Amino acid sequence: TMSESVIQDKINNSQTGDTIAFAAGTYNLPAPGLGLPAGRSYLGSTSGATILSGAGGYSLMGFSGDGLTLQNFIFDGGGLYLAGPVTNVHIEYNTFQNINAPYGNWTAEIAIIIDTSAANSDISHNKFINLGANLMDQFYDEVFSGGIFCKGLSNTTIQYNSFDTFNEGIHVFYDNLDGLNVHINYNTFVHGHRIAIEQQDGNAGGLEVAYNKVSEPLNAWA
């Protein structure tokens, strides 16, 4: 079992275009998690589970820039933070589960947070399970915790993801980028507390939200 610092050193010593493969096993990652340089692919094992485990309250991986492929990981106890404008990001076939933080620390309750914008990207075929459970008994209902949160999209797809037991599924503010050619399709939502899909602001000039399925909400008034 390698320590977080050893793993980070190996990642930092990689080159643009490299593929960094993680063997099956559990990687316990303390704060602040792993930083991912751009222009690389990060792959978990397809023959066994590659589990990234955290104590809660922080993201397990962070990325900024152009070029990220992230596949076949289980994020347990923490999510993925995409900082600044990101482009050519492909997040596929991962599981994000058990992401809870103290009430009020909502950014640490999000599986995938894009704090500025994403372009030419794809977030598809992921599973989101048990997100923001600390908020689900709260009457106060203005917290954006849950699956995917971002501040702008363009030429991006969010498709074929499944959400089970969450506060909010997909929340996008279209106050960055043009919102053109954005497709949020074929996602399924079960046991949602607040909102399955929320889209806000005016720059959503080419947005399609279609063929999604929402069932068995946890609270009927939201």
Side-chain angles (χ1 to χ4, degrees):
T1 300
M2 292 184 292
S3 68
E4 181 196 26
S5 61
V6 172
I7 298 170
Q8 188 66 69
D9 285 344
K10 290 181 177 293
I11 290 173
N12 292 345
N13 289 328
S14 65
Q15 304 297 316
T16 300
D18 282 353
T19 294
I20 300 165
F22 286 67
T26 299
Y27 299 80
N28 295 307
L29 303 178
L34 295 175
L36 307 180
R40 295 155 175 80
S41 296
Y42 303 87
L43 306 181
S45 174
T46 57
S47 59
T50 301
I51 302 171
L52 308 178
S53 179
Y58 57 93
S59 299
L60 297 181
M61 284 183 166
F63 172 82
S64 61
D66 177 71
L68 168 68
T69 296
L70 187 71
Q71 297 178 338
N72 300 318
F73 290 94
I74 297 174
F75 287 73
D76 188 68
L80 171 67
Y81 199 108
L82 305 180
V86 298
T87 53
N88 296 306
V89 166
H90 301 274
I91 304 166
E92 300 152 339
Y93 304 103
N94 303 286
T95 297
F96 298 84
Q97 63 186 26
N98 305 322
I99 301 177
N100 301 296
Y103 181 68
N105 186 11
W106 68 269
T107 59
E109 296 268 3
I110 297 174
I112 301 174
I113 183 168
I114 303 168
D115 69 4
T116 303
S117 63
N120 306 318
S121 296
D122 177 59
I123 304 174
S124 296
H125 301 284
N126 301 286
K127 296 179 180 179
F128 299 85
I129 305 167
N130 188 30
L131 308 177
N134 292 338
L135 301 173
M136 292 183 190
D137 61 352
Q138 301 284 340
F139 184 79
Y140 178 68
D141 200 44
E142 294 297 325
V143 180
F144 305 136
S145 68
I148 302 168
F149 175 91
C150 61
K151 298 286 287 182
L153 295 176
S154 184
N155 297 310
T156 292
T157 56
I158 302 176
Q159 300 188 139
Y160 299 103
N161 301 288
S162 64
F163 299 78
D164 187 345
T165 312
F166 60 94
N167 189 54
E168 186 161 300
I170 301 170
H171 192 147
V172 183
F173 286 87
Y174 292 92
D175 49 1
N176 293 307
L177 297 182
D178 55 22
L180 294 176
N181 192 29
V182 175
H183 301 273
I184 302 176
N185 299 338
Y186 302 105
N187 302 285
T188 60
F189 303 86
V190 181
H191 305 138
H193 171 67
R194 186 172 184 261
I195 300 173
I197 302 174
E198 182 168 1
Q199 311 287 280
Q200 291 186 260
D201 288 323
N203 294 331
L207 169 65
E208 177 189 46
V209 180
Y211 315 112
N212 300 284
K213 182 178 180 180
V214 182
S215 62
E216 302 179 58
L218 293 179
N219 105 16
W221 59 268

